[in-house]
Amino acid sequence: PTDYHDQLEKTLEGYRSQLPETSGVVIAAFDAATSGRLALTYYNELMGSDFLQRLYDWDNICCWPSRNFGIQSPPLWQIVNCAFGTQQAGLIKADDRVMGQQIQRLISCRIDRAPMPEDIMQALFQRVSMPLAYEKSNWDRLLTTACAVIRKYHFDRYKEEWSMTLDPNKTDRSYQFGRLLAVLEKVERDTYSSDEGREPNAIRQQSIFCQRPMYAAYNIEEQLERAYFPRLNPGVRMFYKKLIGQIMEQISQFPEEQWNQPLRETYLMGYYLQRNDLYTSKKNDDTEEKDHE
C-alpha cells in the first residue's frame, strides 16, 4: 500500500508542475441524445490544484489490490459494468443507457466529492456473493472492484479507512467470517490436482454463507473433516485447524445471537485479504523449498 500511495503522490506532483495552481479547469460531460445532437449532462469549473487534489483523493481511497497488477483504482466504466452489466461473450457489460446514467453519478462522486451511492455498493456486494453466476476471470474482477467501492463507501459514510493488508484482530464480525470462508475454500483447493475445474464447497455455498454464516460454516467444515482434511499432510492440516480456531475465537467475541445473522459487505474484504495471504504464503513456501533443493 505504501508504494501505491508514494506513486500517487509522485503523479500528483508531476501534474502540478505542468498545471499552474491559478489555472482553471472545466469539466464537462456530453451525451449524444440524438444523431448529430449533444446534450450537456455535467459541468463544473475548478482551480487546477483543486481538480488534481480531488482526483488524488478518489484514487487514494477507492482502490484495492489485484493479484496480478498490484493496487489499482478501478475505472468508472468498470464499476458501472460490474455493478449493472450482464455477462455476454465472456465479458460483463452494461448497456449504453445505463452506462451514461451511472457514469454521471460517479463523476459527481469523483469531482464533486459526493458520497459513493449505496445502491452501487449493494449491487456489487450481491453480485460477488453469487460466484457461480460468473466466469472466474469476471468474478475476480467483480471482487476487486467491489472491495474498492466498499472501501470508498465506508470512508464516505462512516469516515473509516479500511486497511488493504490483512488484520487478524479486526473487530468486525463480517470481516472475520470472510476470513473463515477463505480458509475453508483453501483447505479444499489444496487437495485438488492442477487440472481440477470444479469449485470448492465454500464457493458453491457462498450465497448461503452470506445469509447464515455459522450454519454454512458448520456444514462446509463437516465436509472438510470427512473428505478433505484426511488428504492433507499432518503439518498443513494442523496449520489450517489452528487458523480456523483463531478466527473462531475472534468471532466468539461477538454476541452469540449475531453469529448466524446475515453478513455485511465488509466480509468481502476479510475474504480477499485472507485468501491473498494464504496464496502468498504458499508461493513463498514453494520458493523456499526450491531454494533448498
Side-chain angles (χ1 to χ4, degrees):
T2 305
D3 291 343
Y4 175 74
H5 295 313
D6 288 346
Q7 191 61 48
L8 269 184
E9 289 280 1
K10 288 176 184 173
T11 303
L12 179 63
E13 288 306 317
Y15 281 122
R16 275 181 178 154
S17 67
Q18 298 175 38
L19 185 67
E21 284 196 27
T22 54
S23 295
V25 174
V26 172
I27 307 101
F30 299 90
D31 183 34
T34 59
S35 179
R37 183 180 171 190
L38 287 177
L40 179 66
T41 59
Y42 177 87
Y43 184 88
N44 198 355
E45 295 182 25
L46 295 170
M47 297 297 291
S49 57
D50 193 16
F51 171 68
L52 292 175
Q53 187 63 48
R54 292 181 187 204
L55 296 184
Y56 170 86
D57 290 344
W58 170 278
D59 288 349
N60 189 42
I61 297 296
C62 189
C63 58
W64 198 254
S66 70
R67 286 172 69 178
N68 298 321
F69 304 106
I71 297 171
Q72 292 184 316
S73 181
L76 302 189
W77 56 264
Q78 181 174 307
I79 295 174
V80 177
N81 280 335
C82 288
F84 301 107
T86 55
Q87 189 169 256
Q88 43 191 293
L91 296 171
I92 301 177
K93 197 172 186 313
D95 70 44
D96 292 343
R97 182 182 57 83
V98 171
M99 178 63 73
Q101 291 171 346
Q102 300 301 331
I103 280 283
Q104 188 171 328
R105 297 174 73 199
L106 290 173
I107 287 174
S108 181
C109 293
R110 190 169 189 188
I111 304 300
D112 302 332
R113 292 183 168 143
M116 176 65 73
E118 184 172 5
D119 63 303
I120 292 179
M121 183 278 291
Q122 285 289 345
L124 289 164
F125 166 40
Q126 298 299 331
R127 286 175 166 225
V128 179
S129 299
M130 298 185 293
L132 299 184
Y134 301 96
E135 293 179 15
K136 189 172 185 319
S137 60
N138 286 334
W139 185 77
D140 285 342
R141 190 177 303 109
L142 269 174
L143 176 59
T144 54
T145 303
C147 286
V149 168
I150 291 166
R151 187 169 188 260
K152 182 73 168 70
Y153 175 83
H154 277 261
F155 181 82
D156 292 345
R157 182 65 63 95
Y158 308 111
K159 300 305 173 198
E160 300 169 351
E161 190 163 347
W162 284 68
S163 173
M164 291 183 284
T165 55
L166 181 65
D167 180 0
N169 300 313
K170 184 76 175 176
T171 53
D172 182 272
R173 178 184 67 96
S174 297
Y175 184 95
Q176 293 295 343
F177 267 114
R179 292 182 61 212
L180 180 61
L181 181 67
V183 178
L184 297 177
E185 175 194 348
K186 187 67 164 58
V187 169
E188 185 171 340
R189 282 202 193 278
D190 275 8
T191 68
Y192 286 3
S193 59
S194 58
D195 58 348
E196 182 65 68
R198 66 192 171 94
E199 292 291 358
N201 285 301
I203 294 298
R204 282 184 274 156
Q205 296 188 43
Q206 188 169 341
S207 57
I208 301 170
F209 188 92
C210 286
Q211 295 303 311
R212 301 170 66 193
M214 190 61 85
Y215 164 81
Y218 176 79
N219 286 342
I220 296 166
E221 194 167 4
E222 202 172 48
Q223 292 165 328
L224 293 178
E225 287 286 356
R226 187 173 62 250
Y228 299 101
F229 270 125
R231 293 161 63 182
L232 297 174
N233 72 53
V236 173
R237 187 162 62 238
M238 186 181 300
F239 166 77
Y240 282 129
K241 290 197 172 188
K242 183 180 178 182
L243 184 53
I244 289 170
Q246 290 168 347
I247 296 171
M248 289 305 300
E249 191 175 329
Q250 291 290 331
I251 292 170
S252 69
Q253 295 177 23
F254 297 92
E256 190 171 344
E257 60 269 20
Q258 293 182 9
W259 293 356
N260 224 23
Q261 289 180 358
L263 299 178
R264 296 193 309 151
E265 63 278 358
T266 52
Y267 95 89
L268 291 171
M269 294 192 279
Y271 167 78
Y272 181 95
L273 293 171
Q274 182 63 70
R275 189 183 70 160
N276 193 55
D277 183 75
L278 289 170
Y279 277 101
T280 304
S281 300
K282 178 73 164 57
K283 193 182 294 181
N284 291 341
D285 290 346
D286 289 347
T287 302
E288 285 177 14
E289 283 179 18
K290 286 177 184 174
D291 289 344
H292 285 92
E293 286 177 0

